[in-house]
Amino acid sequence: MLSVLITVLVLWMIACAWCGFQRRYLRFLAVLIAGLVLNFVWMITGLQADPFEPNVVIAQASATLYALCAFSVGWFAARIRQAWRDTRP
């Protein structure tokens, strides 16, 4: 079960980074919301947590920061690619 959760997290991070690379802000927002909803549903149904438990709030905030960092990495990679193309002879 843990490997499935890690795989889903990695795929979600790749999707966030790809949105940053393509500069698709609304698509990133959709991916972010989908990931947060899935995370919330997992914690409520799978872990039997209360919706406003501090651990749930911290996990949601962490997931949001993970997504923003992945988006930023993708965006930065796109800028590096564009700078690389601009400096070619």
Side-chain angles (χ1 to χ4, degrees):
M1 182 60 147
L2 184 61
S3 62
V4 171
L5 292 173
I6 291 171
T7 303
V8 169
L9 175 66
V10 168
L11 291 174
W12 184 59
M13 299 290 282
I14 290 170
C16 291
W18 186 253
C19 289
F21 189 76
Q22 296 292 317
R23 294 186 178 132
R24 303 283 187 224
Y25 303 109
L26 289 177
R27 190 176 297 163
F28 168 70
L29 187 62
V31 169
L32 174 66
I33 290 172
L36 290 176
V37 167
L38 288 174
N39 189 32
F40 188 74
V41 168
W42 160 247
M43 288 187 289
I44 300 304
T45 60
L47 300 177
Q48 309 299 324
D50 293 327
F52 297 107
E53 185 176 323
N55 292 332
V56 172
V57 174
I58 290 171
Q60 290 293 82
S62 297
T64 303
L65 289 176
Y66 290 154
L68 288 172
C69 287
F71 180 83
S72 298
V73 166
W75 179 77
F76 188 64
R79 288 188 49 101
I80 290 173
R81 182 186 70 168
Q82 186 62 39
W84 182 272
R85 285 184 178 174
D86 290 344
T87 59
R88 282 196 293 193

